[in-house]
Structure formats: structure tokens, C-alpha cells
Amino acid sequence: MVLANSTKTVFMMHKTKDVYKPFGDVYQLDRGPNRPPEVSNAKISIQRNVWSFIVEAVLEYCRITFDLFSDSRPISVISVDSEEKILSLWYEEDQSLEAVWKAFSTEGDSTASVDLDYPGMPGLYSCKNVLHMPTPFQTQQPDTSNVGCVLIVGSDMRTKLSNWLPILIEQLQKPPQETGYLPIDSTEWIFIDLDLSTSSDEHFEENELMATENHKMLYQRIPVKNNRSVLRALMRLAERNLGLASTLVQEIPMKEEANADSVSTMYGVELLHESKAHDFLQRLGLAERLYLRQESGKSMFQEPSSGFSKTLGIKWISPRPVDNLLIRYSVGAFRVTMAAVNTRSSVCLSQFVLGGRCVVLAHNLYRGSASPEGPQTSADVFLLLCHGSVMYLHVLATPASLSHPPILPTLPARQMETSESDFRVADFVKNFLLPARLAPASANSAYTITPKVRALQLVERGTRYWPLRRDATLIGGNEMAAPLFEHMTKDFFEAAESSACEAAIDSILATIKVHPVPKETGTSHLLCSQPVAMAVELEFLLSQYADISEDHSQLMATFKKKAEAVVFANKRLSKLIPKAKSLLINGHPIPGSPLSLLSEIKRQLSDQIGKISGSGAVNLLSDNECVEVKRGLFCITVGSMETFVQQLTAASRRPIPTRAEFEGVLAGSNSKGPLRLYTGLTGGGDDN
């Protein structure tokens, strides 16, 4: 049971006497110009202790976690010497590399050590309380499982485990003592025992100590033989616990700073990301052939900085002007961090990508012919670029046979004989592909919903009304209506966006005003004319988004007010729109007329009315009745004045709760008839 999806990680470090021992390389440093004259040696020797390597490894583990997962995988740090000290908790302000570094800085130069023979397991009380403590996410989502991973780093622990494990299992079964804390559902405890002996045994050892239904205990023996031993051990744990993988970008040309005219030197930069980024290549059978492996007797392979068990080698492709088009082939995107952030090659690559450039990464196993869609070949597998100041590795579908960018939506089989030119391909690219951007994980702090849910929300809004065919819309490809399709899917309007939408409505209505009146006489010819059909489509488009915000609703109200003032063929446009919609749904528009082409509007309105009719609310209207449908909630018909007055009279006899603002109106009514406000209403009326 590996808790790769654990929501929290606790580092508990036992500061035994061994961690203060000097270890590793000896650094020779100058004493400085102000040394005493009697000091003949101009050098001073400094050697780090084991504790410094532990701190370095924990900081690197934290950096990778924060870079790739932000605060979605919180980390807590506990130090145990003569006392238990909780250095950081689940608070958002603690989930940064700077905060963890400051926490370690509070340790100072203390040389106190933990007594491993003390009854009980050192640090267990603090660690258990930290696991019970809810994270900010668990506070907002109390039904979330409380799952954690505990990494205990120390030395000389093996002989103590037989006494610790029964106590540990017993404590995990106990409920939390603090109000609002959560029970522990599942944990994984990994005891990382640093072997500081002079033995030549470099064998890494991992054993399962105990496993219950919800908890698992592992033991790892780490021979500390060089400066990278502790770091390498924790990086392997990060690879497993966080589900990470490594990609080495090879053959990056860089010129030395000292000589700008020199020949470029080829460098490599290792990228860390979620292992799922390699899944697509695994399914194609390419990943195993691209993994770099240690080859005995050869010096060509050098262990990457991360120390991960598997590193995929990929090649840098010199930037091309058309590389940005490859985003259309993306089938997945994953956040990226550098394995060695302080190297010049990593810094240069980061600055290059963060500056708005994109990098295509390819393999050299084979080369396919260029696709007619662009210059890409089947060897292009990744695209490295930046979204919101965060680097992402896009997985490209180009290595798969018959790969094609997702330009056209899936069509029914009966429409496959239709020519591609009949579809709004350019509009689809403009309205969907170009605006599509992956939100970084940090967007959680700016929006109340997750990026994935927000992306699905935008797709749903963008497809509320979006005809696929060119001949099924009158304003879809019209530049006058472009601001509406651009801004209507947004949560709210900025002042400039609202003005642009109103200007678009004014432009369309102005076009309707000056459009020639149909020469043919008759109501059907008037209702099927292009000006009326444009008004029907515009009104329907605005109605689909009126429920998003007050701004959208106000835009719909503005259109209705302006349509009331527009006169076409001596008829008010506001009167023609509902009649044209009724003819479109229930009647028979003149074949080939502009109104008859609005097939998508007819389909959606018919579906909405059908749902209402199916529930027994209303029946479909006859051809000579007007209809107005609003988002599937109401079907309003024009009835007789007698029916209206009867309904109003019945409503006036029902008890109405008194409200101060209505007292003056209610005082003028009585239980025998309607309010005097309506007594002057008569039937009939001018269509204008």
C-alpha cells in the first residue's frame, strides 16, 4: 500500500548524536586578508555534518512538492532532540520553501540529541496531533479522507522498532483529543535509518515491518557513503510517494558567457513532473526505448541531478516560427520544475520559456514525414511552454499514427458526406482553440472553483449556442457580432466589454433598420426575411446567457428595450420576433428563407418546449399563436383578456402577506374583485 495520493506529509527528524558528526568532502577556504600575521596557513578546512545533509534533502523534497502541487500536498516538519518541536504546520503561510527554511533556522547551533531509549516512540505525540489537525482543504471539505505519509529520518532505529510499533498502532486507533480535529483514516510510516558506519556495504535495504487494513510501516536502511546519499534517498521517496518522473532535455546549445563568439556547448537540463506525462509514450511503446540507463563500463551516462530511478532522454529542437501551432496537438499538460535550479543551464532554459517562448522536444528513434497540417514530425513528443508564469510540459499526440488536431467536433455518420468547407472551422479556432489556455494550479486562490471545473464551465457556456455549419447562422460569422461571442461566456463584464456588446447590438439593429423591405406581400415573407431572422438569432443568443450574471441579464433587457423602438415594414421588431419564433418552431417557414436556416435555434427551442409538454405543463401551440421560451423554464402564450382577468381575480383572493411597500396598493383592493389598477383593461390591441 503506497499512499501516492496522500494529502499530507510529515517529516519527523530524530537528532541523534550521530547527525552532528562531520561527514563528506572537506572544503578548503581562504582565511581572508585580515588574518593574524602569526598564522602561516592561508587556508581553513571545513567539513559539513550529517544534519546539514538531512536539512538539504528535506528542503529539496519540499521545493519539488511546492513547485508541482502548490499547497495541495501540504508538508509539516517536526524536529526531535531533547524536546519535540513542530517547525511548520498545514497553514498556507507555511507551505513555501522560504517558510521551511526559516523554520530550520530556528534550530540554531543546538547540539541536543534525542534519547532513543526513552519509553515510547520519540515525537509520536506531536506527529499524531499534526496528523489529526485538518488542512485548509479538509476544513472546507470535511468529508475528505484524512490520509497521511510520515517520514522518520534518524539513525540507530532498527533495534528500537520492536518496541515502537505496538505503541504506534495503539495510538493510531485513538480518536483526536482536540475539538474539530479529524480521525486518522490511513497512514504510511517510513523509517529512514541512516547507516553512518564505516562498513563498505552500500546495499539499499527496504523491508515491510507491519501492515494493517489502514496503516503500513516500512523500514529503509540508507548507507551514507557520500554527499548525495541522503538526498538521493529522499528523491527516490519523492518519486514514489508523489508519483513523479524525470525527463532529461538533451543537446541544448548554449554559448559560454566569457566568449560570445565561441562555439555553442551542448547542455542537458533535467525536468521533474508527474509520471503520467510518460503514459502516452508508454502506450506507444516508446518510453522504454527512451529511458536512460546506467551502462557498466561506460562513462557516457551520468546520474541525473534528481537521482530518480528512471529518466527519459529527449532532444531539444531549435525553435521554429510555427512551433506555437503544436498546442493544437496537446493531449495533456503537467507542471514542471527543474531538478537542479541553481545551474546556469536550468536558469537559461527557465528564462527562455518564461519569456513567452515555447520549446519542442523530440526523440531520435525515427523520423516520419511532415504532416500536411504543419512542419511537425512523428518525433515531436513534448511541448514546453509557460501558462500564467508556470511552466508546463504538454504531451503531443503527433507520435500516434493518423494524429490530427481536434479542429472539427465529432459529427453524426449521416453528416459525413458534408464538405469540411461547410463547417465553421475558422470560427471554431477563433472561439475555442485560441482562447483555450490551461490555468495553473495557483488559480485556486483566484477562483472559487477548481481550474478543471472552470474549464468545463467555459466549454458549456461556449456551446449553449454555437451552430456548426456556416449556413445555420446569420450572425455567427458576422464581425458585428464578434464581441458577443467573445464576451458572453465570461462571469461578468468589464466596462469596456459591456460597451462592446452594446455596440454590437446597436450595429445589428442599425443594419436591420436600413434593410430593404421584402417585395413579397404577406406575413410569412416578412417573418422569414433576413432582418427578422437576424433579430430572432440575436435575441436567442442573448437569452442563452442571461442567467449568468446581472450584467448579462441587463444586456438582454437593453436589447428588448431597443427592439421595442425599431420599426421594420411598419411593424415593431419586438412584435415580429415572437411571431417569427413561433413560425420557426410550429409552422413551416418558406423553404430556403433566412428564417428556415436557423436549424439550431429550432432544435433547441423544440427540445425545451418538448420537455415542458412532456411534464404536462403546457401543450405545443398552434401556428397562429405566439410563443416565447426562456431557458426551458416557461412557455408564455398570448391568451384572451377574459382568461387573464379571471386568473388575476383568482390570485387577488388568495391571502397575501402584508409588506410595507405594498400597503398602499393592497388598500385599494377587496375580496370581491381585482385591483382598480386593472379595471380599465380591454381586449384587442395594435400589433405595433
Side-chain angles (χ1 to χ4, degrees), residues 209-471:
L209 300 174
M210 181 182 295
T212 65
E213 182 179 356
N214 298 319
H215 307 285
K216 183 177 182 180
M217 290 75 183
L218 298 174
Y219 171 81
Q220 289 188 356
R221 171 186 167 273
I222 308 298
V224 182
K225 300 301 178 183
N226 54 57
N227 292 3
R228 287 181 50 84
S229 297
V230 181
L231 176 64
R232 188 173 184 272
L234 285 190
M235 289 301 97
R236 290 293 178 90
L237 283 176
E239 179 184 14
R240 186 187 70 173
N241 293 352
L242 302 177
L244 303 182
S246 168
T247 297
L248 182 62
V249 183
Q250 302 169 310
E251 300 183 21
I252 303 177
M254 295 175 58
K255 293 184 178 181
E256 298 298 334
E257 294 177 332
N259 186 2
D261 297 328
S262 62
V263 178
S264 297
T265 303
M266 297 300 180
Y267 288 89
V269 175
E270 186 184 9
L271 309 177
L272 306 182
H273 48 76
E274 292 184 71
S275 60
K276 291 183 290 186
H278 291 168
D279 288 352
F280 187 68
L281 294 180
Q282 289 276 15
R283 292 194 292 269
L284 296 177
L286 296 175
E288 289 297 329
R289 300 166 62 189
L290 293 172
Y291 282 132
L292 303 177
R293 291 176 173 82
Q294 182 75 46
E295 299 184 32
S296 58
K298 296 184 179 181
S299 60
M300 60 178 295
F301 178 85
Q302 182 179 3
E303 182 185 63
S305 301
S306 67
F308 280 12
S309 60
K310 285 185 177 181
T311 297
L312 189 141
I314 209 72
K315 182 182 177 182
W316 161 287
I317 299 297
S318 298
R320 301 163 295 191
V322 292
D323 285 346
N324 284 319
L325 299 178
L326 289 176
I327 189 67
R328 298 158 57 189
Y329 289 82
S330 176
V331 293
F334 303 89
R335 290 184 69 165
V336 166
T337 187
M338 305 294 177
V341 294
N342 58 343
T343 62
R344 176 173 173 260
S345 54
S346 296
V347 172
C348 290
L349 179 59
S350 300
Q351 291 178 344
F352 184 83
V353 177
L354 293 175
R357 307 290 295 275
C358 68
V359 176
V360 178
L361 306 177
H363 63 79
N364 55 6
L365 297 179
Y366 61 83
R367 280 281 175 179
S369 58
S371 166
E373 293 293 329
Q376 70 282 347
T377 70
S378 56
D380 298 335
V381 293
F382 293 124
L383 186 67
L384 185 65
L385 72 164
C386 174
H387 300 291
S389 299
V390 178
M391 282 192 294
Y392 280 82
L393 187 71
H394 284 263
V395 181
L396 302 180
T398 50
S401 58
L402 303 179
S403 64
H404 191 280
I407 292 181
L408 289 178
T410 304
L411 302 174
R414 64 179 182 274
Q415 296 184 9
M416 292 306 294
E417 65 274 7
T418 306
S419 172
E420 181 176 322
S421 60
D422 294 335
F423 293 95
R424 301 170 59 200
V425 177
D427 292 335
F428 185 79
V429 173
K430 180 179 179 180
N431 297 149
F432 289 92
L433 294 185
L434 294 183
R437 295 292 184 268
L438 291 175
S442 57
N444 282 321
S445 60
Y447 300 102
T448 57
I449 55 178
T450 61
K452 180 180 179 180
V453 174
R454 180 171 174 79
L456 294 175
Q457 181 188 74
L458 291 176
V459 172
E460 184 275 327
R461 291 178 180 177
T463 54
R464 286 186 181 182
Y465 177 66
W466 205 90
L468 296 177
R469 298 170 57 96
R470 297 179 186 275
D471 56 5

Side-chain angles (χ1 to χ4, degrees), residues 347 542 624:
V347 172
L542 297 175
N624 59 351

Side-chain angles (χ1 to χ4, degrees), residues 137-146 182 185:
F137 177 79
Q138 290 174 323
T139 302
Q140 299 173 1
Q141 304 289 337
D143 296 334
T144 306
S145 299
N146 190 19
L182 305 175
D185 296 318

